[in-house]
């Protein structure tokens, strides 16, 4: 699945037509719509709409067109007004459906998700769960594994999601935590306690076999590949169990201590993980795009050439990239010139914002 087009029923909104390959959206200032673009794509992909609560948007209807096969597209029409009014339509070519009355289905968010799931042949619930690992706005660039929405949750929540994303049965990872809780309870009767203790050992041993697979080996290879391209360093993706036998995910950069307060390295580890994931899933029926907000930003960001090389590598294997950046964050003149000449999808400025002034 790739993003083909994003538009609205209001002329104040800039229609954006995406290329199948590399897409750069540049700007000459902050506050012109780069970050809002990510939230809006997420909203159109049947996500949250809280950021569109401003009275200015009450009559807006947004459309996103997705390419789901070589000659098949699906458009999601989503008004800001709540209710059973989300519409979806399948077409055989790229289309503008502002005046279209004949959609395939109209209904609630649940109805829309079910229809989408049936047409793309994978679970929309899984898609919604994992989309942010491929659609990284700036609020989701401080930890490769823990998304912003997971930051206040118990660790088992994000560990279950990551496990499933990596082809590990998250239910079994969660089961270990559940047995721990049963054993910790003071009022657990003797029979239940003994059964839980016996089950716990079996679950621990079984879980240790789950972290070895061809998919995980391929992901580790891709993390190392993109780590070398972007950071020019040996980056290792580690999956193991801690002293409490709980699963852990981490990165190791050879001969270098990653400081917890280094936002540039944390941002780029998120980029490496997203690129490695989409590469690993390239042959599967899942997301075939990755969008990343402002990867070149940061005073310590000296990895511009590597980031650009990695974007081009994804393009060569058929992955769509959507990259936003302030123009002045791209410091190598040759790269900026090539972006403007070949890969510039749109340019936001104070005079030409994504959603106009409001």
């Amino acid at each position: 699945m790739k993003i083909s087009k994003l538009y609205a029923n209001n002329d104040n909104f800039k229609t954006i037509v995406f290329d199948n390959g590399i897409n750069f959206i540049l700007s000459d200032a902050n506050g012109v719509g780069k970050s809002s673009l990510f939230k809006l794509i997420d909203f159109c992909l049947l996500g949250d709409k809280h950021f569109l609560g401003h009275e200015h948007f009450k009559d807006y209807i947004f459309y996103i067109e997705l390419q789901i096969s070589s000659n098949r597209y699906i458009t999601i029409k989503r008004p800001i007004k709540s209710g059973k009014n989300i519409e979806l339509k399948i077409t055989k070519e790229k289309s503008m459906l502002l005046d279209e009355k004949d959609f395939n289905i109209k209904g609630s968010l649940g109805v829309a998700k079910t229809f989408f799931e049936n047409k793309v042949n994978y679970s929309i619930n899984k898609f919604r769960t994992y989309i942010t690992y491929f659609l990284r706005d700036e609020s989701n660039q401080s930890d490769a594994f823990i998304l912003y929405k997971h930051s206040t949750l118990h660790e088992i929540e994000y560990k279950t999601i990551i496990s499933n994303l990596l082809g590990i049965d998250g239910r079994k990872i969660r089961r270990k935590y559940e047995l721990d809780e049963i054993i910790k309870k003071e009022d657990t009767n003797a029979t239940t306690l003994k059964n839980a203790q016996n089950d716990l050992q079996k679950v621990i041993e079984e879980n240790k076999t789950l972290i070895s697979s061809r998919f995980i080996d391929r992901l580790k290879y891709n993390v190392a590949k993109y780590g070398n391209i972007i950071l020019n360093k040996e980056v290792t993706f580690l999956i193991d169990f801690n002293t409490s036998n709980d699963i852990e995910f981490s990165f190791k950069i050879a001969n270098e201590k990653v400081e917890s307060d280094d936002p540039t390295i944390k941002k780029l580890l998120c980029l490496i993980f997203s690129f490695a994931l989409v590469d690993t899933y390239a042959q599967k029926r899942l997301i075939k795009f990755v969008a990343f907000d402002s990867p070149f930003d940061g005073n310590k960001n000296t990895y511009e050439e590597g980031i650009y090389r990695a974007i081009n590598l994804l393009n060569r294997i058929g992955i769509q990239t959507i990259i936003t950046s302030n123009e002045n964050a791209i410091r190598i003149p040759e790269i900026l010139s090539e972006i403007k000449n070949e890969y510039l999808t749109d340019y936001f400025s104070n005079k030409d914002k994504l959603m106009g002034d409001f």
Side-chain angles (χ1 to χ4, degrees):
M1 182 186 76
K2 297 181 179 181
I3 301 175
S4 173
K5 193 184 293 104
L6 185 67
Y7 56 104
N9 65 331
N10 191 303
D11 290 340
N12 286 330
F13 182 81
K14 295 186 69 172
T15 294
I16 302 178
V17 178
F18 296 95
D19 187 87
N20 261 354
I22 299 173
N23 296 267
F24 271 87
I25 297 174
L26 300 181
S27 69
D28 62 3
N30 293 322
V32 292
K34 295 194 311 298
S35 296
S36 295
L37 175 66
F38 284 76
K39 295 183 176 69
L40 187 57
I41 290 173
D42 187 65
F43 165 72
C44 290
L45 294 176
L46 308 176
D48 194 1
K49 69 172 184 179
H50 68 275
F51 87 106
L52 290 165
H54 195 282
E55 178 71 12
H56 174 81
F57 298 112
K58 65 182 179 66
D59 294 321
Y60 272 65
I61 301 173
F62 290 101
Y63 299 73
I64 192 167
E65 181 182 77
L66 308 167
Q67 184 175 4
I68 56 177
S69 66
S70 59
N71 61 348
R72 204 158 176 246
Y73 298 82
I74 185 169
T75 295
I76 301 173
K77 174 184 176 182
R78 190 169 184 194
I80 296 302
K81 291 181 179 178
S82 60
K84 299 180 179 181
N85 52 9
I86 302 174
E87 298 181 77
L88 297 94
K89 185 175 180 66
I90 304 291
T91 59
K92 293 183 178 180
E93 57 186 16
K94 295 181 179 181
S95 308
M96 290 290 288
L97 303 181
L98 288 170
D99 298 320
E100 178 65 47
K101 304 298 182 184
D102 184 23
F103 280 75
N104 294 108
I105 194 167
K106 181 176 181 178
S108 65
L109 187 59
V111 169
K113 287 179 178 179
T114 299
F115 181 85
F116 188 92
E117 174 187 344
N118 291 336
K119 295 303 178 183
V120 299
N121 294 329
Y122 59 78
S123 171
I124 186 62
N125 292 324
K126 290 182 180 179
F127 167 71
R128 283 300 326 159
T129 300
Y130 304 138
I131 182 63
T132 310
Y133 289 103
F134 301 87
L135 184 65
R136 292 266 190 175
D137 63 6
E138 287 196 296
S139 68
N140 287 291
Q141 296 178 10
S142 61
D143 192 295
F145 311 112
I146 306 174
L147 302 177
Y148 177 76
K149 62 185 177 182
H150 300 152
S151 58
T152 59
L153 302 178
H154 190 281
E155 66 177 28
I156 187 54
E157 301 303 327
Y158 86 84
K159 287 183 176 180
T160 299
I161 292 168
I162 289 286
S163 295
N164 287 329
L165 185 60
L166 304 187
I168 299 170
D169 190 341
R171 293 171 301 177
K172 294 180 179 179
I173 299 299
R174 181 182 288 274
R175 180 61 177 157
K176 192 269 176 185
Y177 281 79
E178 293 169 348
L179 291 169
D180 280 342
E181 292 303 310
I182 292 172
I183 292 169
K184 288 176 185 177
K185 287 183 179 179
E186 295 181 359
D187 59 349
T188 302
N189 65 60
T191 301
T192 302
L193 178 61
K194 184 176 180 180
N195 289 337
Q197 290 170 334
N198 290 336
D199 289 345
L200 180 62
Q201 293 307 310
K202 293 177 183 177
V203 168
I204 288 172
E205 293 306 313
E206 184 177 10
N207 283 354
K208 289 180 179 180
T209 69
L210 299 177
I211 62 174
S212 297
S213 71
R214 291 179 64 183
F215 182 90
I216 291 173
D217 288 344
R218 181 68 181 170
L219 180 62
K220 288 180 177 180
Y221 171 83
N222 283 328
V223 166
K225 178 174 68 175
Y226 288 104
N228 181 261
I229 292 171
I230 293 172
L231 296 180
N232 195 26
K233 300 178 188 297
E234 183 181 333
V235 180
T236 306
F237 173 47
L238 302 172
I239 308 178
D240 210 340
F241 292 86
N242 59 25
T243 54
S244 299
N245 290 306
D246 295 321
I247 199 167
E248 296 284 356
F249 310 100
S250 62
F251 288 113
K252 179 182 178 182
I253 301 179
N255 303 318
E256 182 168 322
K257 182 180 179 182
V258 180
E259 300 293 345
S260 60
D261 61 347
D262 187 342
T264 297
I265 294 297
K266 291 192 292 185
K267 174 197 286 278
L268 294 180
L269 286 174
C270 291
L271 185 70
I272 289 165
F273 189 56
S274 293
F275 280 17
L277 271 175
V278 76
D279 190 324
T280 308
Y281 270 108
Q283 302 306 316
K284 295 181 178 289
R285 193 175 181 87
L286 196 68
I287 299 161
K288 293 193 176 178
F289 75 86
V290 60
F292 205 94
D293 190 6
S294 306
F296 301 102
D297 283 7
N299 293 331
K300 298 180 182 179
N301 197 336
T302 58
Y303 305 101
E304 182 175 328
E305 187 175 355
I307 295 168
Y308 192 60
R309 282 178 57 210
I311 291 167
N312 279 274
L313 176 58
L314 285 180
N315 181 45
R316 288 197 293 273
I317 64 171
I319 300 299
Q320 181 188 45
T321 52
I322 299 170
I323 305 295
T324 62
S325 180
N326 281 344
E327 181 178 344
N328 62 13
I330 302 174
R331 302 177 182 89
I332 299 176
E334 295 79 7
I335 291 179
L336 181 59
S337 177
E338 186 169 289
I339 288 171
K340 286 184 172 182
N341 289 332
E342 297 188 31
Y343 304 124
L344 186 62
T345 297
D346 213 318
Y347 196 100
F348 298 166
S349 68
N350 280 318
K351 294 182 179 179
D352 193 18
K353 298 180 182 180
L354 175 65
M355 291 189 278
D357 291 316
F358 62 92

